[in-house]
Amino acid sequence: MTEHACILVTGGTGYVGARLVPKLLASGYRVRVLDAQFFPNGLNRFLGDTRLELVRGDIRDQAIVERALSGINAVIHLAAVANDPSFNTDPALSRSINFDCLPYLVKTAKRLGCQRFIYASSASVYGINNEPIVDENQPCLPITDYNRYKAEGEKILFDITGPSFETVAVRAATVCGWSPRQRLDLTVNILTANALANGKITVFGGQQYRPNVHINDLCRIYTLLVQRESLGSLCGRAVNVGQENHSVADIAMQVKGIVDSYYNANIPIATAASDDVRSYRLDSSLVRRELDFQFVHTIRDAVLEICEQWQSGWFNDSRNILTDPRYHNLLNIQSADWSFASSVSCPC
């Protein structure tokens, strides 16, 4: 897709969006962001950029969606109630945001001339899988509603794929690393936050395998999917995006080693029971091969980023980062009103 195209990023002020939108701007694109802003805006430092248009609105508001899609060449759909605990807090509300509004969004994008739709799915659609590797040929066996609606969202998208409307679903591994709209409820991030704030790490379960992807590598993938002249063989398909597959216990040991070294400490690790049985090892050969993509960031990079921000004082305005709703989706949805459908006019 040529430079100066206009990209709509839904949920673009969030954890991933706050790292992705600057990459798109740096690549020469105009970016329109549609976000309800239930969390603090992760793009505040870019508000003076004339190529960035920020629309505060609810993805379920069809009038807002219609106007936000006007003149758009590609959509990166990130907006969602993210993770199982948050989804389960209010399943009806979560379904309305993650799934019920998707058919209108996708069909309207196609009707208004959008050429490409990139959907943020999740590697969690694989559920429990003991295969040595889980590639895109493995069946989706979601075990939670959050996973199930991500998988069903892919079907909605692929059903209207055509020559003038390319689609792809990104099945991202568990994301880690620093963002201006930081999340600390993701495996690597929360283990690091515990080590920094509590001086100890608690591992729930530990034998479950988790694939991981650094937030910067994930944003590089999204940017590449926009930049390609054509999606080619990836059109109408789901692609895995993950690099390192480790058990949660092993991730905790990695975090301990890095934090110990950074602070010359000796962080203890405790283990507790967990009912989270999701476990799978992700294979991302397809995206490596078809996009000629190399993952360049690691769990170590993610932990060091968070340590550096902690050391810099970025978290100093929080009494306790482990209970601050700004950093935890579940705590945020429990403390805020996510039910509104915005009537704010789009300034397009």
mmCIF file of all heavy atoms in Angstrom, residues 9 48 53 66 84 89 116 128 157 172 178 193 198-199 202 236 240 270 290 324 333:
data_model
loop_
_atom_site.group_PDB
_atom_site.id
_atom_site.type_symbol
_atom_site.label_atom_id
_atom_site.label_comp_id
_atom_site.label_asym_id
_atom_site.label_seq_id
_atom_site.Cartn_x
_atom_site.Cartn_y
_atom_site.Cartn_z
ATOM 1 N N VAL A 9 -6.983 2.840 12.595
ATOM 2 C CA VAL A 9 -6.599 1.914 13.658
ATOM 3 C C VAL A 9 -7.644 2.025 14.758
ATOM 4 O O VAL A 9 -7.727 3.037 15.451
ATOM 5 C CB VAL A 9 -5.202 2.234 14.225
ATOM 6 C CG1 VAL A 9 -4.819 1.210 15.292
ATOM 7 C CG2 VAL A 9 -4.160 2.255 13.109
ATOM 8 N N GLY A 48 -0.082 16.721 18.133
ATOM 9 C CA GLY A 48 0.206 17.857 17.266
ATOM 10 C C GLY A 48 0.553 17.475 15.839
ATOM 11 O O GLY A 48 0.723 18.352 14.984
ATOM 12 N N GLU A 53 -5.279 11.781 13.128
ATOM 13 C CA GLU A 53 -6.636 12.232 13.455
ATOM 14 C C GLU A 53 -7.203 11.300 14.521
ATOM 15 O O GLU A 53 -7.278 10.083 14.322
ATOM 16 C CB GLU A 53 -7.513 12.195 12.207
ATOM 17 C CG GLU A 53 -8.931 12.709 12.428
ATOM 18 C CD GLU A 53 -9.743 12.661 11.145
ATOM 19 O OE1 GLU A 53 -9.207 12.218 10.112
ATOM 20 O OE2 GLU A 53 -10.916 13.042 11.193
ATOM 21 N N GLU A 66 -19.270 4.591 10.559
ATOM 22 C CA GLU A 66 -19.462 4.975 9.152
ATOM 23 C C GLU A 66 -18.592 6.173 8.791
ATOM 24 O O GLU A 66 -17.897 6.183 7.766
ATOM 25 C CB GLU A 66 -20.938 5.302 8.910
ATOM 26 C CG GLU A 66 -21.281 5.690 7.492
ATOM 27 C CD GLU A 66 -21.873 4.541 6.695
ATOM 28 O OE1 GLU A 66 -22.252 3.523 7.304
ATOM 29 O OE2 GLU A 66 -21.957 4.679 5.465
ATOM 30 N N ASP A 84 -9.196 -12.962 29.036
ATOM 31 C CA ASP A 84 -10.337 -13.735 29.553
ATOM 32 C C ASP A 84 -10.983 -13.135 30.803
ATOM 33 O O ASP A 84 -12.214 -13.007 30.863
ATOM 34 C CB ASP A 84 -9.916 -15.178 29.841
ATOM 35 C CG ASP A 84 -9.538 -15.928 28.583
ATOM 36 O OD1 ASP A 84 -10.289 -15.838 27.598
ATOM 37 O OD2 ASP A 84 -8.493 -16.602 28.584
ATOM 38 N N THR A 89 -15.996 -10.511 33.075
ATOM 39 C CA THR A 89 -16.610 -9.586 34.024
ATOM 40 C C THR A 89 -18.024 -9.209 33.593
ATOM 41 O O THR A 89 -18.940 -9.108 34.415
ATOM 42 C CB THR A 89 -15.749 -8.310 34.154
ATOM 43 O OG1 THR A 89 -14.485 -8.676 34.696
ATOM 44 C CG2 THR A 89 -16.403 -7.294 35.075
ATOM 45 N N ARG A 116 -8.112 -3.142 2.413
ATOM 46 C CA ARG A 116 -7.451 -4.161 3.231
ATOM 47 C C ARG A 116 -7.944 -4.069 4.673
ATOM 48 O O ARG A 116 -8.035 -2.970 5.233
ATOM 49 C CB ARG A 116 -5.936 -3.977 3.169
ATOM 50 C CG ARG A 116 -5.132 -5.095 3.808
ATOM 51 C CD ARG A 116 -3.661 -4.946 3.438
ATOM 52 N NE ARG A 116 -3.484 -5.018 1.990
ATOM 53 C CZ ARG A 116 -2.370 -4.671 1.348
ATOM 54 N NH1 ARG A 116 -1.331 -4.246 2.035
ATOM 55 N NH2 ARG A 116 -2.301 -4.772 0.041
ATOM 56 N N ILE A 128 -5.939 -25.621 24.333
ATOM 57 C CA ILE A 128 -4.953 -26.558 24.875
ATOM 58 C C ILE A 128 -4.461 -27.427 23.729
ATOM 59 O O ILE A 128 -5.252 -28.067 23.045
ATOM 60 C CB ILE A 128 -5.570 -27.451 25.961
ATOM 61 C CG1 ILE A 128 -6.186 -26.599 27.075
ATOM 62 C CG2 ILE A 128 -4.529 -28.398 26.540
ATOM 63 C CD1 ILE A 128 -6.997 -27.409 28.056
ATOM 64 N N LEU A 157 -14.791 -12.217 8.904
ATOM 65 C CA LEU A 157 -13.880 -11.470 8.036
ATOM 66 C C LEU A 157 -13.622 -12.210 6.732
ATOM 67 O O LEU A 157 -13.733 -11.635 5.640
ATOM 68 C CB LEU A 157 -12.566 -11.238 8.783
ATOM 69 C CG LEU A 157 -11.489 -10.417 8.088
ATOM 70 C CD1 LEU A 157 -11.945 -8.976 7.903
ATOM 71 C CD2 LEU A 157 -10.194 -10.473 8.886
ATOM 72 N N ALA A 172 -1.796 -13.282 17.395
ATOM 73 C CA ALA A 172 -0.619 -12.878 18.152
ATOM 74 C C ALA A 172 -0.454 -13.719 19.414
ATOM 75 O O ALA A 172 -1.425 -14.071 20.077
ATOM 76 C CB ALA A 172 -0.709 -11.404 18.514
ATOM 77 N N TRP A 178 7.297 -2.666 26.701
ATOM 78 C CA TRP A 178 6.891 -1.336 27.152
ATOM 79 C C TRP A 178 5.989 -0.634 26.142
ATOM 80 O O TRP A 178 6.149 -0.768 24.930
ATOM 81 C CB TRP A 178 8.122 -0.469 27.393
ATOM 82 C CG TRP A 178 7.775 0.973 27.599
ATOM 83 C CD1 TRP A 178 7.966 2.004 26.734
ATOM 84 C CD2 TRP A 178 7.127 1.534 28.745
ATOM 85 N NE1 TRP A 178 7.484 3.174 27.268
ATOM 86 C CE2 TRP A 178 6.972 2.907 28.508
ATOM 87 C CE3 TRP A 178 6.676 0.991 29.951
ATOM 88 C CZ2 TRP A 178 6.375 3.754 29.438
ATOM 89 C CZ3 TRP A 178 6.088 1.832 30.871
ATOM 90 C CH2 TRP A 178 5.946 3.192 30.606
ATOM 91 N N ALA A 193 6.588 -6.797 36.898
ATOM 92 C CA ALA A 193 6.017 -5.817 37.820
ATOM 93 C C ALA A 193 6.016 -6.342 39.245
ATOM 94 O O ALA A 193 6.277 -5.597 40.195
ATOM 95 C CB ALA A 193 4.596 -5.459 37.381
ATOM 96 N N ASN A 198 6.937 -5.810 44.423
ATOM 97 C CA ASN A 198 6.799 -6.664 45.612
ATOM 98 C C ASN A 198 8.111 -7.272 46.083
ATOM 99 O O ASN A 198 8.182 -7.814 47.186
ATOM 100 C CB ASN A 198 5.809 -7.802 45.342
ATOM 101 C CG ASN A 198 4.365 -7.368 45.535
ATOM 102 O OD1 ASN A 198 4.108 -6.279 46.042
ATOM 103 N ND2 ASN A 198 3.438 -8.213 45.133
ATOM 104 N N GLY A 199 9.106 -7.243 45.225
ATOM 105 C CA GLY A 199 10.367 -7.877 45.579
ATOM 106 C C GLY A 199 10.287 -9.386 45.570
ATOM 107 O O GLY A 199 11.146 -10.070 46.141
ATOM 108 N N THR A 202 5.375 -14.389 42.001
ATOM 109 C CA THR A 202 4.460 -15.503 42.248
ATOM 110 C C THR A 202 4.051 -16.102 40.908
ATOM 111 O O THR A 202 3.564 -15.384 40.023
ATOM 112 C CB THR A 202 3.216 -15.045 43.019
ATOM 113 O OG1 THR A 202 3.609 -14.484 44.272
ATOM 114 C CG2 THR A 202 2.270 -16.218 43.261
ATOM 115 N N GLY A 236 -7.020 -13.709 3.189
ATOM 116 C CA GLY A 236 -8.062 -14.623 3.620
ATOM 117 C C GLY A 236 -7.577 -15.703 4.558
ATOM 118 O O GLY A 236 -8.221 -16.755 4.692
ATOM 119 N N ASN A 240 0.116 -16.875 12.449
ATOM 120 C CA ASN A 240 0.667 -16.864 13.801
ATOM 121 C C ASN A 240 1.786 -15.837 13.903
ATOM 122 O O ASN A 240 2.612 -15.720 12.993
ATOM 123 C CB ASN A 240 1.238 -18.236 14.170
ATOM 124 C CG ASN A 240 0.191 -19.305 14.324
ATOM 125 O OD1 ASN A 240 -0.998 -19.012 14.469
ATOM 126 N ND2 ASN A 240 0.610 -20.560 14.293
ATOM 127 N N ALA A 270 7.750 -17.812 44.250
ATOM 128 C CA ALA A 270 6.778 -18.687 44.912
ATOM 129 C C ALA A 270 5.829 -19.244 43.861
ATOM 130 O O ALA A 270 5.607 -18.634 42.814
ATOM 131 C CB ALA A 270 6.002 -17.915 45.972
ATOM 132 N N GLU A 290 6.607 -15.884 4.360
ATOM 133 C CA GLU A 290 5.849 -15.093 3.398
ATOM 134 C C GLU A 290 6.166 -13.596 3.464
ATOM 135 O O GLU A 290 6.054 -12.893 2.467
ATOM 136 C CB GLU A 290 4.351 -15.307 3.611
ATOM 137 C CG GLU A 290 3.891 -16.723 3.333
ATOM 138 C CD GLU A 290 4.133 -17.146 1.891
ATOM 139 O OE1 GLU A 290 3.925 -16.319 0.978
ATOM 140 O OE2 GLU A 290 4.564 -18.296 1.679
ATOM 141 N N ASP A 324 -3.299 -0.687 40.106
ATOM 142 C CA ASP A 324 -3.676 0.547 39.410
ATOM 143 C C ASP A 324 -4.470 0.197 38.155
ATOM 144 O O ASP A 324 -3.954 -0.480 37.255
ATOM 145 C CB ASP A 324 -2.411 1.323 39.024
ATOM 146 C CG ASP A 324 -2.703 2.740 38.560
ATOM 147 O OD1 ASP A 324 -3.749 2.943 37.913
ATOM 148 O OD2 ASP A 324 -1.888 3.638 38.833
ATOM 149 N N ILE A 333 -12.053 -2.307 33.799
ATOM 150 C CA ILE A 333 -13.445 -2.563 33.418
ATOM 151 C C ILE A 333 -14.336 -2.675 34.646
ATOM 152 O O ILE A 333 -15.535 -2.377 34.601
ATOM 153 C CB ILE A 333 -13.551 -3.825 32.535
ATOM 154 C CG1 ILE A 333 -14.881 -3.842 31.772
ATOM 155 C CG2 ILE A 333 -13.408 -5.094 33.347
ATOM 156 C CD1 ILE A 333 -14.983 -4.924 30.733
#
